């Protein structure tokens, strides 16, 4: 039940992100939005975690395909890739997701929970599964929106990236890193009304969400947890 709630919220937020940046002529993007919406309808009928992960994976591929059509031409983005990221857009996504994970990780530990035992992602040695689980609803809200804002607002340029000779991946330069970190920090500290229509910083929201999650675990009641959905 927790997995269903978080995946549904993640997919909803992905649709909203595409809609925000959609231009009138982007019929392809509208098709992606509708495809994600259809996948959302399949969530409640899923019986196993693997089935739910399959739905989430299809939605993610559809979402990034739609997002790639909206990115300004100088930033070639043809969908998600990682380890290493092979283009500037993916380099920022990977860095942003890592930063977000450890923001959530800290809040999990502060609640006295184990970040390495989750409910959705499979257990892997050395991987904080619970942090991965709880960050899903925040990916598009925090990281994707930040990267799109940097790119579409011309705040970051292709020259702020360089190739890594060892891995062949793309990394931010020192200047690019400063621009990105400054933007992320501003995002974390900015006031939003995601929870109960009350104004709070994103970091405060992370804290409140982990409190709700701990309560849901203690009471064995998924209804105690309300993932964030944006409008």
């Amino acid at each position: 039940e927790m997995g269903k709630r978080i995946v549904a919220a993640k997919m909803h937020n992905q649709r909203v992100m595409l809609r925000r940046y959609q231009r009138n002529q982007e019929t392809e993007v509208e098709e992606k939005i509708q495809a994600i919406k259809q996948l959302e309808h399949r969530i409640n009928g899923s019986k196993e975690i693997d089935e739910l992960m399959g739905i989430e994976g299809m939605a993610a591929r559809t979402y990034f395909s739609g997002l790639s059509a909206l990115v300004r031409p100088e930033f070639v983005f043809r969908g998600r890739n990682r380890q290493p990221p092979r283009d500037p857009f993916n380099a920022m996504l990977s860095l942003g997701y890592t930063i977000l994970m450890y923001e959530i990780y800290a809040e999990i530990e502060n609640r006295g929970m184990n970040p390495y035992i989750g409910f959705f992602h499979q257990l892997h040695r050395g991987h904080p599964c619970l942090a991965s689980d709880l960050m899903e609803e925040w990916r598009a809200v925090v990281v994707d929106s930040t990267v799109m804002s940097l790119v579409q607002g011309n705040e970051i340029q292709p020259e702020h990236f360089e190739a890594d000779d060892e891995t062949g991946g793309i990394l931010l330069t020192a200047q690019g890193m400063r621009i990105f970190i400054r933007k992320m920090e501003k995002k974390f500290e900015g006031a939003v009304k995601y929870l109960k229509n009350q104004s709070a910083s994103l970091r405060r929201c992370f804290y409140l969400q982990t409190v709700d999650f701990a309560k849901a675990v203690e009471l064995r009641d998924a209804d105690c947890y309300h993932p964030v959905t944006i409008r």
Side-chain angles (χ1 to χ4, degrees):
E1 286 303 312
M2 290 295 300
K4 287 179 181 180
R5 285 169 181 266
I6 286 179
V7 169
K10 177 183 181 180
M11 291 165 65
H12 168 89
N13 294 339
Q14 288 173 331
R15 283 196 294 108
V16 173
M17 270 291 296
L18 292 179
R19 186 79 70 193
R20 282 182 179 178
Y21 287 93
Q22 183 186 26
R23 296 181 289 274
N24 291 333
Q25 70 271 25
E26 294 290 355
T27 55
E28 176 190 350
V29 176
E30 182 60 36
E31 290 173 1
K32 304 297 184 186
I33 292 170
Q34 294 305 318
I36 294 171
K37 195 169 186 177
Q38 290 300 314
L39 286 167
E40 281 182 66
H41 294 322
R42 294 173 53 184
I43 291 174
N44 283 336
S46 58
K47 304 296 183 184
E48 303 289 341
I49 290 290
D50 286 348
E51 183 181 359
L52 186 59
M53 293 192 81
I55 295 170
E56 184 272 334
M58 285 187 285
R61 287 189 291 274
T62 303
Y63 165 69
F64 284 119
S65 175
L67 203 61
S68 66
L70 301 174
V71 176
R72 82 180 210 248
E74 301 95 304
F75 284 81
V76 178
F77 175 61
R78 297 191 178 92
R80 188 78 177 104
N81 60 64
R82 59 184 78 80
Q83 297 179 341
R86 296 188 292 276
D87 58 73
F89 201 91
N90 273 294
M92 288 187 287
L93 288 178
S94 291
L95 177 59
Y97 293 150
T98 299
I99 294 170
L100 174 62
M101 174 182 284
Y102 285 102
E103 289 280 338
I104 303 289
Y105 182 106
E107 293 297 343
I108 291 169
E109 283 207 322
N110 288 340
R111 304 288 80 71
M113 296 182 288
N114 187 336
Y116 294 88
I117 301 177
F119 57 90
F120 182 57
H121 290 91
Q122 292 183 344
L123 296 177
H124 291 293
R125 184 180 179 86
H127 179 72
C129 297
L130 185 55
S132 288
D133 293 344
L134 296 184
M135 70 179 276
E136 288 296 339
E137 67 200 75
W138 295 107
R139 284 177 180 265
V141 178
V142 178
V143 179
D144 302 1
S145 64
T146 298
V147 174
M148 284 294 285
S149 178
L150 283 167
V151 171
Q152 304 301 82
N154 292 301
E155 296 178 62
I156 201 160
Q157 304 298 332
E159 57 263 30
H160 292 131
F161 300 85
E162 59 188 1
D164 179 25
D165 293 335
E166 289 187 13
T167 66
I170 300 298
L171 303 173
L172 285 122
T173 63
Q175 185 182 5
M177 183 71 77
R178 284 193 294 271
I179 293 170
F180 185 82
I181 296 297
R182 186 164 56 244
K183 186 79 170 183
M184 284 289 290
E185 188 61 28
K186 185 177 180 180
K187 185 82 170 181
F188 287 138
E189 291 300 324
V192 295
K193 291 187 176 180
Y194 292 152
L195 298 177
K196 302 175 183 177
N197 207 34
Q198 296 179 359
S199 182
S201 71
L202 272 175
R203 285 195 170 103
R204 176 69 176 170
C205 290
F206 300 156
Y207 160 75
L208 293 172
Q209 288 294 77
T210 52
V211 169
D212 277 356
F213 176 74
K215 183 178 179 181
V217 172
E218 289 169 356
L219 299 180
R220 298 179 181 271
D221 183 2
D223 287 338
C224 293
Y225 188 78
H226 305 283
V228 164
T229 54
I230 57 176
R231 293 180 288 182

